[in-house]
């Protein structure tokens, strides 16, 4: 059961309040019709699925309903921090803790 | 009955009272303070179980959670049976009934025992895998094996007891209340931090409950008493005895299982007629966890080490000193360390004979050794017990000098007559919890044990990290408790360590398996894991067969797979594997421990989330009417919808037939309130619709509505619905019932992550609007006199909406039809819905107005070929597959969601599956939904399947069965016959037809006699009903009331959206409301006198509560005052407010929400959106005495039922919402 910091409500909350929204920064090709089938398939289906730090989107479903970014280690589940959309995550290796930024 | 092994003095039992109990049918006696295990030993019960594989007699060998043998089932009746209880952890109560799950016909005369003895040599590890390779054989053999092996079974009757969850938050959670844990709790508690102490035993104190040591010159227990007195007096400390920390999860989340009544009886008692909670799962979020779980003593592995009478040394001290039980007469102690000498000293203190202390070390010399020597106890150095012999009890022990390095016996064997053998091979830190998140424990050579690895937020204290002497453990606990508190920002005064007499202990000698005169494979069985019957020879065989990873050895042999997770034996097994592989233990490593630490009853895991409260049941404002009319309900998503309304004597088919015909020939009405409804406001709302729907929205005029299809970006249909244009910048979208939340999420995701520049706000109005769908040719005639809206087709055409009054209530009517008939979907605020519904029925009697359910709705829509997303689509169906090209806007400028996906070559193939109709050749046949479609009547395997049936019904209107189906290239096959094999071998034939069976021209939507509308028939003023009016009278409490619930109905509620960071916006809001806009997260402000409050929900969303009937005026004032990008949405009908007060209100909240409701975290003036049971609520604190829940109307019934249930033990009173019905004439 994770605890995530919502950068909008500015509090750490239980995982039950959130819903995961997959890998962050998946870029929809700006002119979809110009994208090749391979590029479109890559956008639709292919994800990095890294072992280690991963930037993902979560939505604070029970709270502010805002989507934000979480950088999480997929092995240890340690969270390096949360950022509102539009903020750029800055991750310092090993400097993070679950309940703070 | 006598208790032959009970000592005359000492122990922490109450000899003045006696408890009678039954074990395997026989009656015994014990005392308060006993465990079941200590009472059995006091009564001289040697055999408590038969072993898993060999059916050997087994006795109690330990005194705590690590006990592998004494696993019993508790409970006198089937309904109260609990399997998998360790007798060592079950407190004795009067009338306790316990049985061994294994042993047939009994543990004393076990028939399998003979088989085990004879066949033992032929049951090597992997025997079952190797022999029963074929699945059929395994299926046949398994039940017999299970019965013989005795794994226990689940109760077959419903458990009468209540179980509970409680969410807790603390700075420091201390696990274990032995010397280190108590010390840590003391120093952390003095810092002011919130501290929780959990301990699995009946009383706190851990090893000090049977210690010989003195603290500050007094018995150690005096120190325990003093510390507990201080801790329980502190309001920042919570003490939880009888509470096992079962799982340590991510981010400081720990589950604690508290057994509240298991020591009182088989079922929870009923004080004051209220059900007590039997056990409670505490879901703790701790910023720091102090693991002070201590150690488990390891037994040595020698031949015959499973014969009853074998104990781990420390367990003897526990039984002697804590329970005043000496479970034998003549003791031989086999040890490799000093600490275990305590057992022999305690044994001698009890006046029993110590035959010998056999010490593996050549020259033992610590303080305890000297004491034993001084008391004249015989010490045999450099030796070990290599074998014990006996059947149902030990008769003798074979002792010999050993060479542990060369792993051989180094001298003559001496036989000692005895009935008890205690052994100690060292101490294994209880690292289990530290490994639950996947962190591996770390081997320490100096301790010959694993200690916890680095787990974020976890600190270890005392024995678990090798601080084994009492002085070290207490000092370490004090320091770690202090550090844990400090890390969370709490600094306490320094706590001085009490004085403990130092004890000099000699070093231990690493020893696990004791060598035998025979080589391991030929020696009598040396057990490693007593619960799964794994021997040292089995582990050796596993390594010889090539299993080198300890995880493989575990799976091959079964070591550690028991319910005890190998607490006693695992390390011995690892050491043996390491020896066989010729490598250090550190390299062999350890297997992974997983939650739960000890078995947990399913009841505690489920808590209150079972039965009627298993999941939220959302109900509409008309639910009570449906119930009264005898509707049969079906769950749709979380909603409960009427499926049909059978009349007396009708089955479902007859009811559906009647309902369908009523709609086609007269008029029917459907409660369609469950449809998802989303309000869209903003300059770019129309552009957003263009991007999110497949079809075009640029031309839709105010007053009109349009059907829309939503695709995912891969081009597959995900939802559909009708959206109406309310204003140039204001739209009302409807979604499927099940898709509502997902669609709102979908809109938000695209807006927030892809197109944040579009100015549009989305708000759910699902609960605010009740939808009463009048369908049928006579619908207009029925409705006209009840409304002031002109229903003439020229004034109000198909796919248009109008606003006005229906039965005196403000309404929006949509002329949309899901049946193909003339239809009016009347939308009214939910709290007026019952009034309008009843008014429609009053007038509808003359037209035979018929309520119809979802089943008739399905038939009617399918006759028209209208799809049901999720039934006729499955995530792999495109608009074109459905024949809905007309709904795809190819010329829209923006590349809307799904357009590029639809251009993929796979989706262009002509032989994709198309939605078509199927007309069975036999008109009486109703095809099976999901049936596969083939092209030939003769069934061969394999054969080509070309599609499947998605919807299938009998049509009363058409007089035959019909179906919708997805068929490969179906539109090119019209007129062809296809075949549908049934499971019973019969084959149905059906013709492929167009999917529209009824009124393909669409003439019926305008059918029916002409009339004109007029208002004023109404004799009564509209009545309104609060969300919980139907629960009036619930929760009448007997006795004291700990929780008072009050519905505050009919508040005007508005959602305000806008740019909170814009000062002009904030000023305009303040100007309109006379109250400053809260811009700090989670803040809410209110003026009780005006009934006005303003709550921050997000940086661009606020919830405004105003007085009754003030919503519209307030909305008007806001609209006049605000400019730019904003939205105001009336949700008054969609939400209700529950006020909670009373001394136990906070406890009930803790049972219900994971949010921290401690006043430290939740001051007055705070409001949060959070999870409540399985619903979502706004939780607010308007004053120190009370809390408010703002609940969506459809969830209110579930939330109230939850509160009544969770509050029962404290006493609940409920003041219902009202139903207002001033019965005065209106104009």
């Amino acid at each position: 059961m994770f605890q995530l910091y919502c950068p909008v409500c500015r509090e750490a909350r239980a995982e039950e309040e959130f819903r995961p929204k997959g890998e962050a920064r998946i870029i929809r090709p700006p002119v979809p019709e110009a994208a090749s089938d391979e590029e479109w398939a890559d956008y639709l289906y292919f994800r990095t699925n890294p072992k280690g730090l991963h930037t993902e989107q979560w939505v604070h479903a029970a709270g502010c309903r805002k989507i934000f970014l979480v950088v999480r280690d997929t092995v240890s589940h340690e969270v390096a921090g949360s950022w509102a959309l539009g903020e750029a995550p800055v991750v310092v290796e090993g400097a993070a803790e679950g309940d703070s930024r | 009955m006598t208790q032959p092994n009970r000592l005359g003095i000492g122990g922490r039992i109450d000899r003045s009272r006696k408890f009678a109990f039954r074990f395997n049918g026989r009656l015994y006696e014990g005392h308060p303070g006993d465990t079941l295990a200590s009472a059995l030993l006091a009564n001289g019960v040697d055999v408590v179980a038969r072993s898993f594989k060999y059916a050997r007699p087994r006795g109690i060998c330990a005194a705590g959670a690590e006990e592998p043998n004494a696993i019993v089932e508790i409970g006198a009746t089937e309904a109260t049976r609990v399997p998998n209880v360790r007798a060592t952890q079950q407190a004795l109560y009067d009338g306790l009934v316990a049985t061994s799950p294994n042993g047939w016909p009994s543990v004393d005369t076990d028939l399998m025992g003979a088989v085990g003895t004879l066949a033992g040599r032929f049951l090597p590890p992997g025997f079952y895998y190797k022999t029963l390779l074929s699945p059929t054989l395994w299926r046949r053999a398994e039940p017999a094996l299970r019965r013989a092996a005795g794994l226990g079974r689940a109760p077959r009757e419903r458990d009468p007891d209540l179980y509970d969850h409680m969410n807790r938050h603390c700075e420091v959670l201390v696990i274990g209340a032995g010397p280190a844990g108590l010390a840590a709790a003391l120093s952390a508690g003095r810092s002011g931090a919130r501290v929780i102490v959990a301990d699995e035993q009946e009383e706190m104190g851990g090893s000090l409950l049977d210690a010989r040591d003195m603290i500050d010159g007094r018995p150690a227990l005096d120190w325990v008493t003093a510390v507990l007195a201080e801790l329980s007096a502190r309001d920042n400390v919570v003490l939880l005895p009888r509470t096992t920390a079962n799982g340590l999860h991510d981010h400081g989340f720990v589950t604690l299982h508290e057994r509240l009544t298991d020591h009182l009886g088989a079922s929870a008692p009923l004080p004051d007629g209220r059900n007590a909670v039997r056990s409670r799962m505490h879901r703790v979020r701790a910023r720091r966890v102090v693991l002070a779980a201590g150690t488990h003593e390891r037994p040595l592995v020698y031949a015959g080490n499973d014969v009853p009478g074998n104990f781990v040394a420390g367990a003897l001290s526990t039984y002697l000193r804590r329970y005043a039980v000496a479970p034998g007469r003549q003791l031989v102690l086999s040890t490799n360390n000093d600490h275990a000498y305590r057992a022999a000293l305690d044994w001698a203190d009890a006046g029993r004979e110590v035959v010998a202390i056999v010490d593996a070390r050549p020259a033992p010399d610590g303080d305890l050794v000297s004491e034993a020597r001084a008391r004249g106890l015989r010490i045999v150095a450099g030796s070990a017990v290599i074998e014990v012999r006996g059947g149902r009890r030990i008769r003798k022990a074979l002792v010999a000098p050993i060479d542990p390095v060369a792993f051989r016996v180094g001298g003559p064997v001496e036989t000692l007559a005895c009935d008890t053998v205690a052994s100690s091979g060292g101490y294994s830190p209880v690292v289990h919890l530290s490994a639950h998140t996947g962190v591996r424990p770390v081997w320490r050579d100096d301790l010959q044990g694993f200690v916890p690895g680095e787990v974020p937020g976890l600190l270890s204290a005392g024995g678990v990290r090798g601080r084994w002497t009492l002085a070290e453990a207490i000092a370490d606990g004090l320091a770690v408790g202090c550090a844990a508190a400090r890390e969370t920002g709490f600094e306490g005064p320094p706590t001085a360590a009490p004085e403990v007499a130092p004890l000099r202990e000699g070093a231990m000698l690493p020893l696990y398996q004791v060598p035998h005169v025979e080589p391991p494979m030929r020696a009598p069985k040396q057990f490693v894991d007593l619960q799964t019957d794994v021997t040292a020879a089995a582990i050796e065989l596993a390594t010889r067969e090539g299993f080198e990873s300890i995880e493989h050895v575990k799976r091959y042999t079964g070591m550690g797979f028991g319910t005890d997770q190998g607490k006693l034996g695992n390390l011995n097994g690892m050491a043996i594997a390491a020896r066989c592989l010729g490598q250090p233990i550190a390299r062999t490593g350890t297997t992974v421990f997983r939650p739960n630490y000890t078995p947990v009853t399913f009841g505690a895991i489920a808590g209150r989330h079972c039965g009627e409260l298993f999941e939220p049941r959302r109900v509409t404002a008309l639910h009570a009417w449906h119930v009264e009319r005898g509707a049969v309900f079906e769950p749709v998503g979380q909603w409960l919808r009427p499926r049909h309304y059978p009349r007396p004597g009708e089955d479902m088919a007859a009811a559906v037939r009647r309902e369908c015909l009523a709609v086609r020939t007269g008029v029917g009405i459907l409660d369609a309130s469950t449809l998802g409804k989303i309000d869209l406001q903003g300059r770019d709302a129309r552009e957003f619709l263009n991007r999110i729907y497949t079809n075009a929205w640029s031309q839709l005029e105010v007053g009109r509505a349009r059907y829309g299809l939503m695709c995912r970006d891969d081009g597959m249909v995900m939802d559909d619905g009708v959206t109406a244009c309310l204003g140039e910048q204001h739209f009302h979208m409807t979604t499927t019932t099940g898709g509502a939340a997902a669609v709102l999420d979908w809109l938000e995701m695209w807006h927030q992550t892809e197109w944040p520049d579009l100015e549009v706000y989305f708000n759910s109005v699902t609960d605010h609007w009740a939808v009463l769908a009048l369908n049928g040719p006579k619908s207009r005639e029925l409705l006209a006199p009840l409304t002031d809206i002109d229903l003439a087709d020229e004034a109000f055409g198909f796919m248009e909406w109008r606003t006005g009054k229906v039965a005196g209530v403000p309404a929006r009517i949509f002329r949309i039809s899901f049946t193909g008939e003339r239809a009016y979907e009347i939308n009214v605020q939910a709290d007026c819905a019952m009034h309008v519904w009843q008014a429609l029925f009053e007038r509808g009697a003359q037209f035979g107005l018929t309520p119809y359910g979802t089943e008739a709705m399905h038939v009617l829509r399918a006759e028209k070929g209208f799809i049901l997303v999720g039934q006729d689509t499955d995530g792999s169906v495109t608009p074109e597959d459905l024949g809905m090209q007309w709904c795809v806007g190819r010329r829209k400028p923006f590349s809307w969601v799904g357009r590029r996906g639809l251009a993929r070559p796979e989706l262009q193939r002509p032989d994709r599956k198309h939605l078509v109709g199927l007309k069975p050749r036999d008109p009486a046949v109703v095809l099976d939904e999901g049936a596969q479609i083939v092209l030939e009547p003769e069934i061969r395997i394999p054969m080509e399947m070309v599609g499947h049936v998605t919807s299938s019904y009998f049509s009363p209107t058409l007089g035959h069965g019909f179906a919708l189906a997805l068929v490969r290239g179906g539109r090119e096959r019209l007129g062809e016959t296809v075949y549908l094999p049934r499971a019973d071998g019969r084959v149905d034939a059906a013709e492929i037809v167009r999917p529209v069976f009824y009124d393909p021209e669409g003439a019926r939507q305008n059918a029916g006699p002409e009339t004109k509308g007029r208002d004023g028939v109404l004799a009564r003023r509209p009545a309104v009903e609060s969300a919980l009016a139907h629960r009036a009278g619930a929760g009448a409490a007997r006795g004291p009331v700990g929780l008072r619930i009050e519905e505050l109905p009919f508040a005007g509620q508005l959602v305000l959206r806008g740019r909170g960071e814009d000062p002009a916006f904030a000023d305009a809001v303040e100007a309109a409301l006379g109250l400053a806009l809260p811009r700090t997260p989670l803040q809410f402000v209110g003026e009780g006198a005006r009934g006005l409050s303003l709550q921050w929900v997000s940086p661009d969303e606020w919830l405004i509560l105003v007085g009754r009937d003030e919503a519209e005026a307030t909305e008007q004032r806001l609209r006049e005052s605000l400019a730019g990008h904003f939205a105001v949405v009336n949700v008054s009908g969609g939400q209700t407010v529950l006020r909670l007060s009373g001394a136990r209100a906070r406890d009930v909240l803790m049972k219900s929400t994971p949010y921290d409701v401690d006043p430290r975290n939740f001051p007055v003036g705070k409001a949060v959106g959070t999870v409540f049971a399985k619903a979502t609520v706004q939780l607010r604190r308007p004053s120190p005495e009370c809390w408010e829940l703002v609940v969506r109307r459809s969830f209110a019934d579930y939330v109230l039922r939850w509160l009544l249930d969770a509050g029962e033990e404290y006493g609940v009173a409920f003041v219902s919402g009202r139903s207002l019905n001033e019965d005065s004439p209106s104009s």
Side-chain angles (χ1 to χ4, degrees), chain B residues 80-100:
Chain B
T80 55
R81 279 171 80 259
V82 183
N84 251 326
V85 176
R86 293 142 309 285
T88 49
Q89 293 194 298
Q90 173 62 52
L92 194 68
Y93 53 81
D94 199 34
L96 184 146
V97 176
T99 48
S100 309

Side-chain angles (χ1 to χ4, degrees), chain B residues 741-806:
Chain B
V743 169
L744 183 58
D745 248 29
W746 180 250
L747 305 184
E748 287 286 358
M749 197 193 72
W750 282 94
H751 184 230
Q752 290 181 37
T753 65
E754 286 290 331
W755 312 314
D757 49 315
L758 292 188
E759 291 192 347
V760 57
Y761 289 121
F762 317 101
N763 287 288
S764 171
V765 286
T766 300
D767 288 38
H768 175 72
W769 294 106
V771 179
L772 290 49
L774 268 184
N775 277 258
K778 294 180 182 164
S779 55
R780 180 164 54 172
E781 233 180 318
L782 189 163
L783 180 61
L786 290 176
T787 179
D788 56 354
I789 298 171
D790 184 353
L791 300 184
D793 285 352
E794 316 82 70
F796 187 2
F798 188 60
M799 293 310 278
E800 293 185 345
W801 69 273
R802 294 292 179 267
T803 184
K805 283 191 170 180
V806 175

Side-chain angles (χ1 to χ4, degrees), chain B residues 125-136:
Chain B
F127 172 82
Y128 294 127
Y129 296 148
K130 289 168 180 167
T131 314
L132 302 172
L133 262 179
S134 125
T136 329

Side-chain angles (χ1 to χ4, degrees), chain B residues 365-398:
Chain B
D365 69 338
D367 286 347
L368 288 168
V369 180
S370 309
E371 189 179 342
R373 270 204 195 98
R375 291 176 62 164
L377 303 184
R378 180 186 171 200
I379 298 175
V380 186
S383 299
V385 169
I386 62 164
E387 183 180 342
V388 302
R389 293 192 181 154
R392 293 162 32 79
R393 180 78 197 199
I394 293 175
R395 280 181 284 109
K396 55 192 169 187
L398 277 52

Side-chain angles (χ1 to χ4, degrees), chain A residues 4-26:
Chain A
L4 299 175
Y5 180 86
C6 172
V8 179
C9 293
R10 293 188 218 151
E11 273 195 349
R13 300 286 186 92
E15 185 180 334
E16 291 142 282
E17 294 192 9
F18 302 93
R19 277 202 290 268
K21 288 285 163 189
E23 182 170 345
R25 290 176 290 184
I26 301 296

Side-chain angles (χ1 to χ4, degrees), chain B residues 375-441:
Chain B
R375 291 176 62 164
L377 303 184
R378 180 186 171 200
I379 298 175
V380 186
S383 299
V385 169
I386 62 164
E387 183 180 342
V388 302
R389 293 192 181 154
R392 293 162 32 79
R393 180 78 197 199
I394 293 175
R395 280 181 284 109
K396 55 192 169 187
L398 277 52
V399 172
I402 55 159
D403 179 346
V405 180
F407 195 65
R408 60 182 177 80
V409 170
V413 178
E414 181 187 357
T415 301
L416 300 175
C418 61
D419 65 358
T420 306
V421 172
S423 74
S424 176
Y427 300 86
S428 300
V430 182
V431 297
H432 302 68
L433 286 162
S434 76
H436 283 176
T437 55
V439 175
R440 295 274 172 167

Side-chain angles (χ1 to χ4, degrees), chain B residues 739-1069:
Chain B
V743 169
L744 183 58
D745 248 29
W746 180 250
L747 305 184
E748 287 286 358
M749 197 193 72
W750 282 94
H751 184 230
Q752 290 181 37
T753 65
E754 286 290 331
W755 312 314
D757 49 315
L758 292 188
E759 291 192 347
V760 57
Y761 289 121
F762 317 101
N763 287 288
S764 171
V765 286
T766 300
D767 288 38
H768 175 72
W769 294 106
V771 179
L772 290 49
L774 268 184
N775 277 258
K778 294 180 182 164
S779 55
R780 180 164 54 172
E781 233 180 318
L782 189 163
L783 180 61
L786 290 176
T787 179
D788 56 354
I789 298 171
D790 184 353
L791 300 184
D793 285 352
E794 316 82 70
F796 187 2
F798 188 60
M799 293 310 278
E800 293 185 345
W801 69 273
R802 294 292 179 267
T803 184
K805 283 191 170 180
V806 175
V809 170
R812 266 184 210 151
I813 302 182
F814 296 82
R815 261 203 76 188
I816 53 183
S817 173
F818 199 38
T819 61
E821 302 297 335
R822 175 182 288 278
Y824 297 89
E825 295 198 353
I826 304 161
N827 284 234
V828 293
Q829 192 167 312
D831 42 19
C832 301
M834 187 68 92
H835 164 80
V836 176
W837 181 268
Q838 282 169 343
L840 289 169
F841 270 90
E842 275 171 31
R843 169 153 171 83
Q846 57 186 297
F847 301 97
L849 176 62
T850 303
Y852 66 98
T854 50
E855 193 63 24
M857 176 189 87
H858 286 176
V859 176
L860 297 166
R861 64 91 198 169
E863 287 172 349
K864 281 289 291 177
F866 294 152
I867 60 155
L868 207 59
V869 171
Q871 172 149 348
D872 301 302
T873 70
D874 58 6
S876 70
V877 179
T878 68
E880 194 154 346
D881 296 341
L882 296 169
M884 294 171 74
Q885 297 89 326
W886 54 268
C887 200
V888 175
R890 301 275 174 204
R891 289 193 303 278
K892 287 196 285 182
F894 192 88
S895 185
W896 41 271
V897 177
R899 183 167 88 175
R900 173 63 185 87
L902 286 169
R904 288 178 296 158
E906 181 63 25
L907 305 194
Q908 305 296 314
R909 289 169 48 159
D911 62 344
R912 284 184 61 80
K913 288 181 180 172
H914 299 150
L915 186 80
V916 293
L918 290 183
K919 190 176 172 191
R921 195 175 280 166
D922 176 348
V925 161
V926 177
L927 302 170
D928 288 337
E929 286 180 353
Q932 293 294 324
I933 297 166
V934 296
L935 297 175
E936 295 156 58
E938 291 80 30
I939 305 310
R940 292 167 285 103
I941 296 175
M943 70 188 299
E944 191 189 18
M945 293 180 282
V946 297
H948 66 276
V949 175
T950 59
S951 297
S952 177
Y953 312 95
F954 183 83
S955 165
T957 309
L958 305 170
H960 61 77
F962 73 105
L964 300 177
L966 286 165
V967 179
R968 190 178 305 156
R971 282 197 290 273
E972 317 308 318
R973 295 179 189 269
L974 292 180
E976 288 182 23
T977 298
V978 290
Y979 301 92
L980 301 99
R982 294 196 206 180
D984 62 9
R986 286 182 294 166
V987 178
D988 294 313
E991 184 191 342
I992 296 184
V993 296
R994 290 186 193 282
V996 185
F997 289 84
Y998 177 78
D999 183 29
E1001 306 78 25
R1004 300 287 304 171
Q1005 65 214 19
N1006 290 318
E1010 185 75 20
T1011 91
K1012 263 187 77 70
R1014 67 192 164 84
D1015 197 12
V1017 173
L1018 208 67
R1020 282 185 285 120
R1021 271 184 59 178
V1024 288
E1025 264 190 22
S1026 76
L1028 293 168
H1030 64 289
R1031 290 278 171 195
R1038 293 181 294 263
V1041 170
L1043 171 70
R1044 191 181 151 84
I1045 311 165
E1046 193 182 350
E1047 187 186 11
L1048 310 178
F1050 310 129
Q1053 304 202 28
L1054 297 170
V1055 171
L1056 170 67
R1057 306 293 301 267
R1059 295 192 169 113
E1061 71 277 10
D1062 177 2
F1065 173 78
D1067 289 347
V1069 174

